[in-house]
Amino acid sequence: MAIHKLALDDFFEEEQFSLIAIHCGLQDFRVAYLLNKNLNLALKRTSSDLNFKNGASYSVFEWESEKEQNHWNLISNHFKKETVPENHTNTLFQNQSGTKTVWLIPELKKVNYFLKISSDTNALNEAKIVANIQKIPQIVTAYTIESNQLTSRGNLIF
């Protein structure tokens, strides 16, 4: 009797997308507004954030261009989580709490936001998009990232 093996790689294809890192100190809605204004997008906040089991929640803005068949996502890279100390001693400052930052992509801790562009057609000019983002005075810098090199790439697939 012959044994037949099926390779799952033939059935599941990884999502291909372009990834642009954005450095700036603005709040997420301001970055979305500036990108909408300067790139002629229509990014809108999703009804639900990107939530993980560790309690981290990342804001997501999205827009789908039917004309160019692109799906755009603006995702925050950091989440500030309030921490409460485990040792409760009777001291004057017993209720001290702190904040802990949790990153969506831990290997890129200095990046504030990611612009993820999924395209059905591969006619996407990343260099032009990055150049237009860099022209925005409030944004410090922007550059493309090779998403295949990221160890936590799975966090960007949703």
Side-chain angles (χ1 to χ4, degrees), residues 12-158:
F12 298 109
E13 188 176 311
E14 282 196 30
E15 181 183 2
Q16 296 298 318
F17 54 87
S18 300
L19 193 62
I20 299 172
I22 299 174
H23 293 260
C24 70
L26 299 175
Q27 293 178 337
D28 54 2
F29 63 90
R30 293 281 301 149
V31 176
Y33 169 77
L34 291 170
L35 292 175
N36 286 344
K37 183 178 173 185
N38 292 288
L39 298 177
N40 295 322
L41 304 178
L43 292 166
K44 293 182 182 177
R45 180 84 183 247
T46 58
S47 58
S48 61
D49 290 341
L50 185 59
N51 298 315
F52 287 91
K53 292 180 183 177
N54 64 357
S57 178
Y58 304 94
S59 62
V60 178
F61 292 78
E62 69 178 352
W63 176 61
E64 189 161 349
S65 170
E66 293 178 11
K67 177 184 172 187
E68 298 167 354
Q69 297 178 345
N70 296 336
H71 189 87
W72 299 68
N73 289 302
L74 176 67
I75 310 141
S76 65
N77 188 35
H78 54 80
F79 173 74
K80 295 199 185 245
K81 183 178 181 179
E82 188 171 333
T83 59
V84 179
E86 293 179 16
N87 303 0
H88 293 292
T89 58
N90 293 329
T91 64
L92 181 61
F93 303 104
Q94 72 182 23
N95 292 331
Q96 288 181 337
S97 62
T99 58
K100 177 183 177 185
T101 304
V102 183
W103 290 273
L104 179 66
I105 306 295
E107 56 266 30
L108 298 170
K109 292 181 179 181
K110 295 190 179 197
V111 175
N112 300 103
Y113 300 97
F114 292 106
L115 186 62
K116 175 185 161 189
I117 309 166
S118 304
S119 178
D120 292 339
T121 63
N122 291 329
L124 189 64
N125 189 349
E126 291 178 22
K128 184 178 178 182
I129 294 169
V130 170
N132 287 336
I133 293 172
Q134 288 177 340
K135 290 179 184 176
I136 301 171
Q138 295 89 342
I139 292 181
V140 176
T141 191
Y143 51 89
T144 58
I145 294 175
E146 191 64 40
S147 61
N148 296 332
Q149 305 298 324
L150 297 175
T151 57
S152 50
R153 181 181 194 271
N155 292 348
L156 292 169
I157 298 174
F158 50 90

